[in-house]
Amino acid sequence: MGSCHLLECLNRRILIDCGMFQGSRELAEENGVAFDFEPAAIDYVLLTHAHLDHCGRLPLLAKRGFRGEVIATPPTRELVRLVLVDAAHLQEEEARRHDYPGRRRDEGGGRAPLYTILDAFNCLDRFGRAAEYEQPVALAPGLRATFFDAGHILGSASIRIEVNEGDRVRSVLFSGDIGNTGRPLLRPPAPPARADLVVMESTYGDRLHRSFGASIEEFYAAVCSAVARGGNVVIPTFALERAQEILYVLHQGVERSRLPPAAQIFLDSPMAISATEIFERHSEYLDPEAARMFRQGDDPLHPANLHFAREAADSIALNRITGGAIIMAGSGMCTGGRIRHHLRHNLWRKESAVIFVGFAAAGTVARQIIDGAEHVRLFGEEIPVRSTVHTINGFSAHADQRELLAWRGGIGGCDTTFLVHSEEPAMRQLAEHLQGYRVEMPRLGEAFDL
Ligand code: ZN
């Protein structure tokens, strides 16, 4: 689902996020339809974070007339640039695949990309002031926005908008995506102490996560046994946040002698390498322990035996390694990208291991392997699955039900809680636990007078 909320007050129109629908093909086509509002009439876009389902339609908004100011935290600005240029590149490639001679536009040929790399760059010109956590940004006389650390990914924020009404102040808080507490690298969410109305995500409103500590132990054990068998370890990973979390866990594993000393780690993803560099440039936004390591010159995202593979030739060279390599590559769901080559070279070998550390949607190659397929199809070939397969679930970037309730409980003075950004069963379960609050579950496009 794409997150996008429009708030109108004091004659200003403010968008909170401008996200892209992700998932099925029908949903993907929704991305091209008209906005429910006039893009040229929007004064501000406040971005909670750099995930595509929160910023992915920004180039389209600018292309269709938006001339206002985009405000985000400094790390979000840099990550958004990376994420949007990558998304535009993928869309251009996808459009090119559909565009072959003799095929007419009305037959599905020559399909135009939703937006191009040029559109992505153009929308970056709309970025104005940077927002620092807990420092109000003025939007108009008597109207301001304050960003609070949401602990979800680097630079992520919950955003409170306050408006003066005579001698009192009314406020509405948009949660953005709320992080999981106790993860490495990021500080826990720090919502404001007060808001009159809350619009909150409820992705995992019906679930409880496994403890992070147990997941790390399981991860080290899986790596050690594959390396001891003489195989490689292949880790399909998302480029942003998950890759850096795994690098941090690997760094700790090397430092604490929890991993075989001879193992070599390869980050085989140009996008993940760039995202890692953005983390390194903004280390003051990380949790105190990681920030301290950076200050002391010990980069916690760079284990001693780490190698970056930016060039395709470096990636191809990895295919010759038969044992002792820990290879991280995208895409996380194995729907494309370099990971498919590493699967092709390792999936059939019983010495090797594949470790999944993220969500895998139904129908993807990742999901087939996780669900125990005996063969998967890669590059037109049936590849038997003989390697060991591990699914480690504790790395979620989203708060679970207990943490969502704790986040909500920390905010006083609230009239109504709007639950958004989730499937209906998760919202209903969370709503049952929010007794004593007025709860609304808005439909797409629904408007409320606050
Ligand atoms: Zn997110």
Side-chain angles (χ1 to χ4, degrees):
M1 261 183 297
S3 182
C4 186
H5 300 285
L6 172 61
L7 182 69
E8 295 187 19
C9 63
L10 297 185
N11 240 339
R12 297 294 192 286
R13 287 178 191 79
I14 306 163
L15 272 196
I16 293 86
D17 288 337
C18 189
M20 193 145 132
F21 300 98
Q22 285 178 296
S24 67
R25 172 165 233 116
E26 297 80 69
L27 274 180
E29 279 167 12
E30 290 278 312
N31 289 311
V33 305
F35 289 100
D36 286 340
F37 46 82
E38 179 51 54
I42 301 294
D43 298 290
Y44 295 103
V45 178
L46 310 181
L47 287 182
T48 62
H49 65 291
H51 277 151
L52 265 188
D53 59 337
H54 292 259
C55 70
R57 293 224 293 168
L58 209 50
L60 203 60
L61 189 75
K63 188 165 136 177
R64 292 182 180 170
F66 167 66
R67 288 294 172 268
E69 181 184 9
V70 181
I71 302 175
T73 63
T76 297
R77 290 163 74 114
E78 280 205 63
L79 291 169
V80 163
R81 185 178 62 196
L82 182 66
V83 162
L84 291 183
V85 169
D86 180 68
H89 167 71
L90 290 177
Q91 289 167 37
E92 286 187 359
E93 279 207 325
E94 175 79 0
R96 217 168 291 137
R97 256 200 300 279
H98 284 82
D99 189 15
Y100 51 84
R103 200 164 179 201
R104 291 199 343 244
R105 193 167 284 257
D106 56 2
E107 293 170 334
R111 206 175 70 183
L114 189 60
Y115 49 81
T116 63
I117 293 175
L118 187 63
D119 295 324
F121 276 116
N122 282 338
C123 92
L124 299 177
D125 288 344
R126 311 273 26 111
F127 277 73
R129 291 165 289 174
E132 294 294 348
Y133 289 139
E134 305 187 20
Q135 294 178 17
V137 180
L139 304 179
L143 180 64
R144 61 205 164 272
T146 312
F147 290 56
F148 296 86
D149 194 343
H152 170 61
I153 64 168
L154 185 72
S156 67
S158 300
I159 302 173
R160 182 175 65 188
I161 296 167
E162 291 171 293
V163 54
N164 294 351
E165 283 183 343
D167 51 6
R168 65 179 203 141
V169 175
R170 290 274 289 166
S171 59
V172 49
L173 174 67
F174 293 87
S175 72
D177 285 353
I178 302 167
N180 194 345
T181 50
R183 283 154 71 216
L185 284 182
L186 296 181
R187 294 183 289 224
R194 212 196 134 273
D196 295 313
L197 301 141
V198 172
V199 180
M200 73 180 280
E201 70 120 330
S202 43
T203 310
Y204 288 144
D206 56 352
R207 244 178 283 178
L208 293 174
H209 296 321
R210 282 194 62 189
S211 91
F212 192 71
S215 301
I216 293 181
E217 290 309 314
E218 197 183 338
F219 179 78
Y220 288 154
V223 172
C224 288
S225 68
V227 173
R229 288 194 303 269
N232 292 324
V233 177
V234 175
I235 308 172
T237 181
F238 299 101
L240 173 51
E241 199 72 33
R242 192 56 40 84
Q244 291 74 36
E245 243 170 31
I246 299 295
L247 284 176
Y248 183 87
V249 167
L250 288 168
H251 180 275
Q252 296 227 308
V254 172
E255 295 292 298
R256 296 174 185 173
S257 305
R258 300 297 312 276
L259 293 173
Q264 298 297 309
I265 302 165
F266 298 92
L267 185 57
D268 185 17
S269 158
M271 181 156 167
I273 295 168
S274 296
T276 303
E277 288 168 353
I278 293 172
F279 272 64
E280 290 165 342
R281 279 202 290 279
H282 294 282
S283 59
E284 73 279 19
Y285 287 85
L286 299 175
D287 92 313
E289 172 63 13
R292 183 192 60 76
M293 291 173 74
F294 270 110
R295 276 197 304 276
Q296 293 176 352
D298 176 17
D299 182 341
L301 304 182
H302 206 114
N305 46 353
L306 173 66
H307 312 274
F308 286 156
R310 251 193 212 278
E311 306 267 339
D314 298 334
S315 175
I316 292 164
L318 299 180
N319 296 335
R320 291 197 294 271
I321 305 177
T322 55
I326 302 169
I327 302 169
M328 304 163 62
S331 70
M333 298 193 205
C334 312
T335 46
R338 296 179 177 182
I339 193 68
R340 292 162 74 91
H341 294 275
H342 301 303
L343 290 174
R344 183 191 189 189
H345 284 87
N346 287 283
L347 211 46
W348 57 273
R349 300 178 57 216
K350 59 184 190 329
E351 314 82 271
S352 289
V354 182
I355 307 181
F356 291 97
V357 290
F359 175 72
T364 59
V365 172
R367 183 63 168 270
Q368 290 167 20
I369 300 171
I370 291 168
D371 288 348
E374 289 181 5
H375 295 85
V376 291
R377 203 166 175 80
L378 290 166
F379 307 103
E381 252 178 273
E382 289 291 329
I383 311 284
V385 182
R386 296 201 197 103
S387 67
T388 54
V389 175
H390 306 265
T391 311
I392 298 183
N393 287 319
F395 288 98
S396 179
H398 281 274
D400 66 6
Q401 186 189 68
R402 194 171 24 101
E403 291 165 327
L404 287 171
L405 292 171
W407 184 91
R408 178 63 198 81
I411 302 159
C414 183
D415 308 344
T416 307
T417 303
F418 296 88
L419 297 182
V420 297
H421 208 52
S422 168
E423 311 280 333
E424 195 173 324
M427 276 195 234
R428 294 222 167 274
Q429 277 217 32
L430 190 66
E432 276 170 29
H433 288 84
L434 284 171
Q435 278 156 8
Y437 297 103
R438 215 181 108 209
V439 176
E440 294 275 1
M441 288 174 261
R443 291 184 312 276
L444 187 66
E446 199 171 354
F448 291 84
D449 186 355
L450 304 178

